[in-house]
Structure formats: C-alpha cells, structure tokens
Amino acid sequence: MSKKVRVKFADIRTCSLFAGVPDKIIKKIAAYPTAQEIPEGTDIIKEGEKGDSMFIILSGSIDILKTDKFVKV
C-alpha cells in the first residue's frame, strides 16, 4: 500500500512544467494533489488506459514501457 505524502508549494514551484506560472496559481495547484510514496516495482498506469490524472515525480525515477521498449526517466 502506498504512503501518503504532503505536496509542498516549493515542490510544484521548482517543477519546470510550471515555470512562469504565477505563485497565486501554484498555491491553488498545490491544494489539489494527493502525493503518494509508491513502492518500487508498482505499476502506476498502463499504456492504453484512459487517464484522469497527472503524475509529477518529486524524487526517484520511473521506468516506462512503451511498445515493448523501456525508457528511463
């Protein structure tokens, strides 16, 4: 089972995806996420599944399997 982790304003502010977004908006964004510590080897999402969320990796790395090829992120 995954462990809940608090998302901090600074975690989102330093993410390049949100570069240029005003702090006021970042604070609103920070109120929504549910952060989780995911155990190694856990599938987060599978190719072809309908998405309804977004994942931001705060630390660590993930492996992506795309059409039978691994991509290290």
Side-chain angles (χ1 to χ4, degrees):
M1 179 169 212
S2 58
K3 176 182 166 188
K4 298 275 182 177
V5 179
R6 184 167 181 238
V7 176
K8 299 174 189 150
F9 169 84
D11 293 332
I12 296 174
R13 165 54 50 226
T14 58
C15 179
S16 61
L17 178 65
F18 299 104
V21 175
D23 286 351
K24 182 178 179 179
I25 302 299
I26 296 293
K27 287 176 185 175
K28 288 181 181 181
I29 292 169
Y32 288 99
T34 301
Q36 296 180 335
E37 186 175 306
I38 306 295
E40 184 176 343
T42 302
D43 288 340
I44 298 172
I45 191 168
K46 294 182 179 180
E47 185 175 6
E49 289 181 339
K50 183 177 180 181
D52 63 355
S53 57
M54 176 180 172
F55 299 93
I56 299 173
I57 310 302
L58 298 176
S59 65
S61 63
I62 61 168
D63 290 325
I64 298 171
L65 177 58
K66 173 105 177 117
T67 317
D68 300 326
K69 292 182 183 179
F70 274 106
V71 179
K72 190 73 165 184
V73 175

